[in-house]
Amino acid sequence: MAKTVFVLNGPNLNLLDKREAAIYGGKNLAAIADDCREAAVELGMEVDFRQSNHEGILVDWLQEAGEKAAGVVINPGGYGHTSIAMHDAIRSIAPLPVIEVHLSNIHAREAFRHHTMISAVAVGVICGLGPLGYTLALRALAERI
Ligand code: DHK
């Protein structure tokens, strides 16, 4: 049976086609979800793709991943820079592999984006490659699971 991978998205990623196209590229989240599902078929995995603007819901989903998923790809949005709760949730589902993705190159942006609470507990981090980062992360997960 194909293994399920959760692809979780944090706040404001539901507005990708409306917000700062020069930074986020203008491709909407539904199209990124389609890319992920297509890649997953090729990789023999199933993708459960979700987005929430609420930190607690993201924590709930990480805990759920700990019970149901073989791995997680997460773009934590702005909460990545602040959320000790998400950091703790990822630690609590170890050794489940979690890969952090950012569409933009957070290191080439404001200083407050340079650090994330997720990076230290992720198996890897991809940033700056736009939507391609999601499918690369799925490929990396497929190698591990
Ligand atoms: C998305 C966000 O919403 C920002 O808060 C992060 C990230 C960067 C991204 O590049 O996908 O700083």
Side-chain angles (χ1 to χ4, degrees), residues 62-143:
L62 285 165
Q63 291 183 7
E64 186 184 338
E67 286 162 20
K68 298 185 185 163
V72 176
V73 173
I74 186 163
N75 182 344
Y79 289 141
H81 308 297
T82 60
S83 180
I84 294 170
M86 284 171 68
H87 172 104
D88 286 346
I90 292 170
R91 287 171 77 131
S92 71
I93 58 173
L96 194 79
V98 175
I99 300 183
E100 179 183 10
V101 171
H102 299 276
L103 293 158
S104 63
N105 179 355
I106 55 174
H107 302 290
R109 299 181 63 191
E110 304 95 322
F112 64 80
R113 294 184 203 274
H114 296 178
H115 178 263
T116 95
M117 303 301 297
I118 311 300
S119 304
V121 286
V123 297
V125 182
I126 298 173
C127 77
L129 301 182
L132 177 65
Y134 283 76
T135 50
L136 290 175
L138 287 172
R139 202 162 286 280
L141 270 186
E143 296 279 330

Side-chain angles (χ1 to χ4, degrees), residues 1-7 36-37 39-49 65 67-73 96-97 138-145:
M1 206 172 78
K3 291 189 173 159
T4 300
V5 169
F6 280 16
V7 181
C36 287
R37 291 194 191 98
V41 169
E42 213 181 285
L43 296 166
M45 308 189 304
E46 265 174 28
V47 158
D48 189 334
F49 194 97
E67 286 162 20
K68 298 185 185 163
V72 176
V73 173
L96 194 79
L138 287 172
R139 202 162 286 280
L141 270 186
E143 296 279 330
R144 296 183 74 98
I145 61 182

